[in-house]
Amino acid sequence: MPRKTKAKSDTVPAVILSEIALMPGTIMHFDLRQTYSVLSANKALEEGQQLVVVTRTQDDGEASLERVYPVGCSAKIRQIVRLPGEASRVLVEGMHRVYIHELSRDGGYYEAMVSKRETVWDMDANEIEAAVRILKDLMKKKSEDGKRGNMDLARVSKIGELEKLMDTIIAHMPVSYQYRLKLLQLEKISERFEFLSSIIATENEVEQIRKELSAKVKQQLDDNQKNYVLREQMKAIRKELDEDVLSEAEEFEERLEGLQACTEVKKKIAKEIARFKSGATGSSESAMERTYIETLLDMPWDKCSMEQMDLSYAKQILDDDHYGMEKVKERILEFLAVLAMRGRMGEELPKDSASIICLVGPPGTGKTSIAKSVAKALNREYVRICLGGVRDEAEIRGHRRTYIGAMPGRIAAGIRQAGVSNPLMLLDEIDKMSSDHKGDTASAMLEVLDGEQNRHFRDHYLEIAIDLSKVLFIATANDISQISMPLRDRMEIIELSSYTEVEKFHIAKEHLVKKQILQSGLTEKQLVMTDKAIEQVISGYTREAGVRELERQIGTICRKTALAIVTGETLKEKVTRSNLHDFLGKERYIDEKAGAKPQIGTVRGLAWTSVGGDTLEIEALVMPGKGELKLTGKLGDVMKESAMTALSLVRSLAPAYGAEPDYFAQHDVHVHVPEGAVPKDGPSAGITIATAILSAVTGIPVRHDVAMTGEITLRGRVLAIGGLKEKVLAAKKYGVKTVIVPIDNQKDIAELEEEIKCGLKFETVSKIQDVLNIALVLKETNVRKKS
């Protein structure tokens, strides 16, 4: 409301109140705690002046003309009572409305320049009389609501003046002070009447609705509502006993106030809490709603952990937790360096950033432990999600709340478990996911691992978008070929190869033995394992790419030692190579060595498996027949096609090695790969099969100290293969001296550790003739010279 121009004005003491409005013709009291307010009241009482009561428009800051309402009420002080301290209680009677022209604070108290505000009477006598009767009728109707209404009616029944009647009614109605201020500032008597009558009518209507609802509630009172009444009574009893009386809804509201989340999330949760309040307590719907609200409140929407980006510390953690694996550690540190350079930690990620790495390698090679070390180095919470065997899309995206027993997906549940929105999340065994009629889990993972989509990942259960861009994902897999191409394209692949025996020895000595001694309750003085004993455990009792079985065998030694100490058989044990069998029994594995002399139709091939490298002794045999090819050994389609390609190639080469032109029309060829119960597949046995068939057909023996791997083409070219390190380790364990590999794998040979290459001769080949020249024990008479 704009300020009026000054008419006849006076300067009088003033008090500024918050959320209190004094009406003319009414009596009220209020407490003054500020020194300047007490001085204003005392000044007015001493000099017999009126006191102006003004209402603030803003609670904060020092009072000024712009921070108070333009219309106040002059008052006559009836009594001032001093309270403990410097406060005073003032009893005043409202006199008339005044305009506030100026407000100043001189002499330690507030003074206001005011002028009396005259009422504009725009109603004639009949209209005024009608308005008085209408207001009294409305108050009479209100009095039917109970005791308070009768008290209000008693106050106004004897008042015949319209202005005083309205001021008295609004002063004693249980409404907000803003309604009183509104009536105080209206100038025309007709506007005051319309405003007040609408308030009373609304209050009467609300009261009527309340009565109707109360009647319905009483009629429909059931067991759940009885329980609610009993609980309310229990709350009252607990309140008398000074016990906690917060209801579940109130607890939810308290947690919501302290929740770190955006406005959209808070509005959604507040809406669900309101729905929970209005629901029937104890019903199944109420239980589902309670679980949903608790889940939303447990989610760390905007809560992040304080992380560090010290690469030297990260390197130290990786070195302390893992022996060797230098190239893998280097790749991890490069990845973390990129994160630091791009300002990724705790900030919004670039859309094109590749923030997901996938550790691929045989079981037990340290994939999971590397992820734990990275989380420790970055000071991030660590969460592991096992995806092996997951085939329902709802396991990733969550179940919709319409289903009984619905729950969030594993991604949302993992973030809830971590308690922060930026954990390190390990997606373990990502290559073991499958799909069925319920959906494709690999396709659901595309959104999770896509930097452009996971900022607004929507879990079906939560129904609120989750920002996954702050999460550092690390996936693990044994066989990368089992991961779909779109999913593989979203990850940076880091390969972890098999451990060498030297690496296993250091891992066991520096980590596994100490770990198992501690877990068994022993001390390093009670159990001592010699280096020779550890080496014998590795070679004679384990056959794996990783170190899990090695750790189990060491654990067995520790448990047997603990048993012997507890039963009093000994005070300490020293495990040596000579007494190792007392703890672990006879050796499980005896190294199979290459034959002592060349053989016909038998060739040693090299294979890669998900648990490490292995050797395959491929056998070929010819017999009278019609030129058929028989394949046994549980071979896969790719390996069968490779065998057929090898046979066709050998048929074209055989005449050069002394075979008759019609030899294959009169003989059948049988190729067998031992260990027939184990499935085998892949193209890398191509040159091995071709060499075995040619040896069987021509009778030329194959060197016993040679192993080979490589894919063969119909024209005799040798193509590159994968898993070279695992294959070479298997060849070395078998005792071969020469390894034949494709020429395109020279770069892989260069990356092998010297420990692996020591004692081996690598022959690189580009065509089948090179293979045959190396592997076959050729004499000049074996090869027919073509004219």
Side-chain angles (χ1 to χ4, degrees), residues 299-300 355-357 368 371-372 374-375 378 380-387 396 409-428 430 445 448-449 457 466-468 470-476:
M299 292 296 295
S355 59
I356 299 98
I357 60 177
T368 302
K372 290 182 179 179
V374 173
L378 297 180
R380 288 200 181 201
E381 295 295 329
Y382 170 79
V383 180
R384 175 179 174 269
I385 297 178
C386 183
L387 299 176
I396 306 299
R410 297 197 180 196
I411 303 298
I415 294 179
R416 179 185 181 186
Q417 174 188 345
V420 292
S421 61
N422 63 336
L424 185 147
M425 186 171 292
L426 177 66
L427 305 175
D428 206 8
I430 197 171
M445 288 298 297
V448 176
L449 301 182
F457 175 74
I466 309 174
D467 185 4
L468 300 182
K470 301 176 184 177
V471 180
L472 178 59
F473 289 101
I474 296 182
T476 68

Side-chain angles (χ1 to χ4, degrees), residues 665-676:
Q666 300 174 8
H667 294 81
D668 292 341
V669 178
H670 186 175
V671 176
H672 176 69
V673 183
E675 299 184 23

Side-chain angles (χ1 to χ4, degrees), residues 114-344:
V114 300
S115 62
K116 184 177 180 182
R117 178 183 174 281
E118 300 293 342
T119 300
V120 177
W121 291 87
D122 58 343
M123 300 172 67
D124 57 30
N126 293 332
E127 289 175 335
I128 292 173
E129 181 62 26
V132 170
R133 294 182 182 183
I134 291 173
L135 291 176
K136 289 185 177 182
D137 288 342
L138 289 173
M139 293 303 295
K140 183 177 180 181
K141 184 177 180 181
K142 189 174 185 298
S143 69
E144 298 173 0
D145 297 335
K147 182 177 179 180
R148 177 60 188 260
N150 291 332
M151 294 174 63
D152 293 342
L153 181 64
R155 288 190 180 96
V156 303
S157 59
K158 297 180 180 180
I159 301 176
E161 184 184 347
L162 179 59
E163 184 177 17
K164 184 178 181 179
L165 177 64
M166 289 191 290
D167 291 341
T168 303
I169 290 175
I170 195 68
H172 293 91
M173 282 187 67
V175 294
S176 170
Y177 77 98
Q178 293 177 343
Y179 289 107
R180 298 188 183 95
L181 284 172
K182 175 73 172 178
L183 190 70
L184 190 67
Q185 297 180 76
L186 290 176
E187 195 169 12
K188 296 181 179 179
I189 196 71
S190 61
E191 292 178 350
R192 295 186 202 173
F193 168 71
E194 292 173 359
F195 176 69
L196 181 60
S197 59
S198 65
I199 294 176
I200 301 174
T202 301
E203 288 289 319
N204 291 343
E205 185 177 354
V206 170
E207 186 62 26
Q208 183 63 29
I209 295 174
R210 187 193 66 80
K211 283 186 176 182
E212 294 175 358
L213 292 177
S214 298
K216 290 180 180 179
V217 170
K218 290 180 181 179
Q219 291 176 359
Q220 299 174 358
L221 188 64
D222 55 11
D223 292 340
N224 289 334
Q225 291 166 320
K226 290 180 181 178
N227 292 337
Y228 175 77
V229 173
L230 292 174
R231 276 192 291 271
E232 291 298 317
Q233 292 175 347
M234 291 177 64
K235 288 180 184 178
I237 296 173
R238 289 173 180 169
K239 188 174 182 179
E240 292 296 325
L241 297 175
D242 293 331
E243 295 182 358
D244 186 14
V245 296
L246 286 179
S247 66
E248 287 183 322
E250 290 171 339
E251 291 178 0
F252 292 155
E253 289 173 343
E254 279 194 0
R255 292 181 60 186
L256 179 60
E257 289 180 3
L259 185 66
Q260 297 180 25
C262 63
T263 305
E264 178 185 356
V265 174
K266 288 192 173 184
K267 284 184 178 179
K268 172 69 174 177
I269 299 176
K271 181 180 179 181
E272 295 298 331
I273 294 175
R275 183 180 299 172
F276 175 73
K277 282 182 176 180
S278 61
T281 308
S283 63
S284 59
E285 292 81 3
S286 177
M288 293 173 62
E289 190 70 32
R290 182 187 302 108
T291 303
Y292 180 60
I293 294 173
E294 289 176 346
T295 303
L296 293 181
L297 291 173
D298 289 341
M299 292 296 295
W301 300 101
D302 292 338
K303 182 181 178 182
C304 297
S305 60
M306 296 297 295
E307 51 198 350
Q308 58 185 2
M309 185 46 63
D310 186 347
L311 292 186
S312 60
Y313 176 70
K315 185 177 186 302
Q316 179 184 347
I317 293 295
L318 291 173
D319 289 339
D320 291 344
D321 295 346
H322 303 86
Y323 175 82
M325 305 171 67
E326 299 302 329
K327 293 182 180 179
V328 175
K329 293 177 184 177
E330 184 179 355
R331 289 287 299 276
I332 293 291
L333 292 175
E334 290 172 356
F335 180 80
L336 298 181
V338 171
L339 297 185
M341 290 298 293
R342 300 178 71 165
R344 292 265 312 283

